[in-house]
Amino acid sequence: MRAGFITVVGRPNVGKSTLVNRLVGQKVAIVTPKPQTTRNRILAIKNTPDAQLVFFDTPGIHKPHYEMDRAMLETAVATLKRVDVVLLLIDIEKPFGRGDEHVLELIKKIESPIVLGINKIDARNKREILPVIENYRHRHDFIDIVPFSALTGDNIDRLETVLVEHLPESEPLYPQETLTDLPERFFIAEMVREKILRLTHQEVPHSTAVVIDKWEETPTLTRIEASILVERESQKAILVGKAGAMIKKVGSAARQDAEKFLNTKIYLGLHVKVRPDWRNNKRTLSELNTETL
Ligand code: GDP
Ligand code: MG
């Protein structure tokens, strides 16, 4: 069993998000920022029977800077003790230029092994790949160079194999079922539950679970949709309150906490659902992250 952290770096639009989506699979709603910490953030977790790959995004990476953001790299360098492999992505469609030279200059500071990923090979003739590999091979001592297409999936298996090869032998770092940045969702769900406990004075809470259904980020707002599962209609009536007064109170209080926690503006949509037997329903339980029960 191998497990470890992989930081994905590269200039904007080289395909980092596309790649991580591809590696982790369609179903994963990725990305939850941790603006209140200086740590790198977890993008997504890929579990295979014999490996766990934990991908980090790097701050500043989505900003449309021409050159790889220095702050991003500094964070990467600062967290290298926790990073096992750095995956530097380039875009084969873009001719090699000053920006790329600058990136190569910056990565000299990185002590972790660096894999070079050459993305978007679907957009170029196969003959154009070798000269790009040669160019980079002479400019830096990469532990591996893998051309692939994040869009079509071409050679993605090879990339995954290479990344796993360079991870240390280890038990999984996160529960095997974890696909995304669970802790943040967990905390938001807990905040909602806490408000229910407080505001409904224990009439409802013990048969309540909170499930985060949707988590969407824009630069100015994080939209979170959550379901509150209760077992009976009568509990739903209490939780919703007269003309929705109770659920509004719960939502508003939870949102204020969540905004402090995530340090961003939040839209929090709460939906109360009656699931008579949710505690015994395997499917419902597997849809919940068990920590929120
Ligand atoms: P990021 O800024 O590095 O995260 O890049 P994105 O993943 O957002 O991708 C930027 C653009 O490149 C998008 O329009 C993608 O559809 C496109 N793209 C990503 N991977 C590939 C690929 O393998 N082939 C092609 N042709 N386009 C790709
Ligand atoms: Mg991206």
Side-chain angles (χ1 to χ4, degrees), residues 11-18 30-31 41 43 57 61-62:
R11 295 167 66 189
N13 288 316
V14 294
K16 297 179 294 293
S17 302
T18 310
I30 45 167
V31 188
R41 70 195 212 202
L43 237 187
D57 198 354
I61 214 151
H62 297 292

Side-chain angles (χ1 to χ4, degrees), residues 10-19 61-62 89 93 119-123 148-152:
R11 295 167 66 189
N13 288 316
V14 294
K16 297 179 294 293
S17 302
T18 310
L19 174 68
I61 214 151
H62 297 292
L89 284 201
E93 289 193 292
N119 191 22
K120 309 196 187 181
I121 58 168
D122 59 286
F148 62 89
S149 168
L151 199 66
T152 66

Side-chain angles (χ1 to χ4, degrees), residues 127-269:
R127 280 178 319 203
E128 293 178 45
I129 299 170
L130 204 57
V132 174
I133 293 176
E134 282 302 300
N135 178 34
Y136 273 88
R137 213 164 56 80
H138 289 109
R139 287 171 185 270
H140 191 89
D141 192 15
F142 295 103
I143 47 164
D144 247 306
I145 300 182
V146 186
F148 62 89
S149 168
L151 199 66
T152 66
D154 190 13
N155 219 30
I156 288 290
D157 289 357
R158 170 82 192 129
L159 178 67
E160 194 181 311
T161 304
V162 164
L163 292 174
V164 170
E165 271 170 15
H166 296 293
L167 294 181
E169 284 184 24
S170 158
E171 290 305 304
L173 304 159
Y174 294 85
Q176 287 269 331
E177 297 309 307
T178 311
L179 292 174
T180 62
D181 200 355
L182 193 59
E184 255 171 4
R185 292 170 169 247
F186 165 56
F187 285 126
I188 302 303
E190 280 296 282
M191 284 168 188
V192 174
R193 232 160 56 88
E194 188 214 337
K195 304 307 170 200
I196 297 171
L197 275 162
R198 273 227 205 116
L199 294 164
T200 63
H201 310 292
Q202 311 272 345
E203 286 156 333
V204 176
H206 296 293
S207 48
T208 299
V210 178
V211 189
I212 305 293
D213 300 319
K214 210 165 151 198
W215 186 297
E216 253 176 25
E217 292 173 29
T218 71
T220 52
L221 181 82
T222 298
R223 292 181 71 88
I224 301 168
E225 302 275 352
S227 295
I228 301 169
L229 307 186
V230 295
E231 288 181 318
R232 291 193 296 276
E233 283 293 343
S234 60
Q235 295 165 336
K236 179 175 174 175
I238 293 170
L239 197 46
V240 172
K242 278 207 182 83
M246 178 56 81
I247 195 69
K248 265 183 210 149
K249 255 196 205 168
V250 168
S252 151
R255 180 178 50 77
Q256 282 173 33
D257 280 10
E259 287 190 337
K260 268 190 218 134
F261 179 70
L262 295 172
N263 193 25
T264 181
K265 223 171 133 42
I266 286 176
Y267 167 84
L268 180 61

Side-chain angles (χ1 to χ4, degrees), residues 69-116:
D69 190 359
R70 179 175 293 275
M72 173 194 84
L73 197 83
E74 274 166 11
T75 309
V77 172
T79 55
L80 283 184
K81 287 196 185 78
R82 297 169 50 239
V83 172
D84 301 298
V85 179
V86 173
L87 174 61
L88 172 65
L89 284 201
I90 61 156
D91 176 350
I92 197 172
E93 289 193 292
K94 302 259 163 64
F96 188 88
R98 286 235 337 264
D100 301 290
E101 270 174 26
H102 184 59
V103 168
L104 288 169
E105 201 52 45
L106 288 173
I107 64 167
K108 281 188 182 145
K109 291 184 200 149
I110 295 179
E111 285 168 28
S112 302
I114 304 176
V115 172
L116 178 72

